Amino acid sequence: MARRKIIAGNWKMNMTPTEAVALIDELKPLVVNDEADVVFCVPAIDIIPAMEAAKGTNIHIGAENMYFEEKGAYTGEISPKMLVDAGVKYVIIGHSERREYFAETDETVNKKVLKAFEHGLTPIICCGESLTQREQGITIDWIRQQIKIAFLNVTADKAKAAVIAYEPIWAIGTGKTATSDQAEEVCAAIRACIGEIYDEATAEAIRIQYGGSVNGANAAELFAKPNIDGGLVGGASLKPDFGKIVNYK
Ligand code: PEP
């Protein structure tokens, strides 16, 4: 069975609530595509107005992060229950910027993944290598380790519903895109790793995105690869170009 494409924007720390509503109003006619899931992952403060602005459209509103506890003395954090109550379905977990600037580790990623599933949220689990790791030839080993830890204690049933975003760190926000062959090689290795952890059916079901300077000009070639089921898009998700990415064919 063909996997449904999923194209998600990661707004990062951009857009005030007012700007978020204006951007959704601008992009909503451009991102119509019945053949793909379209998700805008927005800053926490934008979730509720974005949800309102996206009502009646094909746009799902997602979060960029969440904490792995239900509630309590965790100043500044946002809980899975809060996301669910706001109507969120998707949440990015373990983006490389969270790992680099906010000390997230493979272990905290695993805790968040487990918690997201417990609440019926779909995690978009990020993994990716640095330029040094790529140059040292350890990309696949590194990614396999990230995936194995992220999925610890996750059942096959839940894993099937997960989304993995392969994002080489050297390609994020740099304008340097991995070639479609480089991206496909790693996405295929991720699928094989999921097959080893679980089984063939789980590997076939799970959706794997590529992220790293995706734009309207390179999306078609990347998304045509057999193991690439869409993209996680930073910079270009804030522009009309996102419409071209969603309608890449
Ligand atoms: C990202 O933030 O996940 C990302 C891939 O950013 P960009 O598309 O700007 O490289």
Side-chain angles (χ1 to χ4, degrees), residues 152-217:
L152 261 181
N153 299 320
V154 175
T155 62
D157 242 27
K158 298 263 198 297
K160 271 186 190 139
V163 178
I164 297 172
Y166 165 55
E167 299 206 304
I169 298 168
W170 49 271
I172 296 180
T174 57
K176 268 192 218 163
T177 317
T179 65
S180 56
D181 287 341
Q182 285 174 323
E184 168 64 13
E185 183 196 11
V186 180
C187 290
I190 292 171
R191 200 174 302 286
C193 182
I194 293 292
E196 284 169 35
I197 301 170
Y198 300 102
D199 48 45
E200 193 59 30
T202 309
E204 278 307 307
I206 202 163
R207 293 188 290 178
I208 305 174
Q209 300 172 311
Y210 166 77
S213 301
V214 175
N215 59 44

Side-chain angles (χ1 to χ4, degrees), residues 10 12 95 97 167 171-175 211-214 232-236:
N10 171 18
K12 313 195 186 201
H95 190 279
E97 289 153 15
E167 299 206 304
I172 296 180
T174 57
S213 301
V214 175
L232 182 57
V233 184

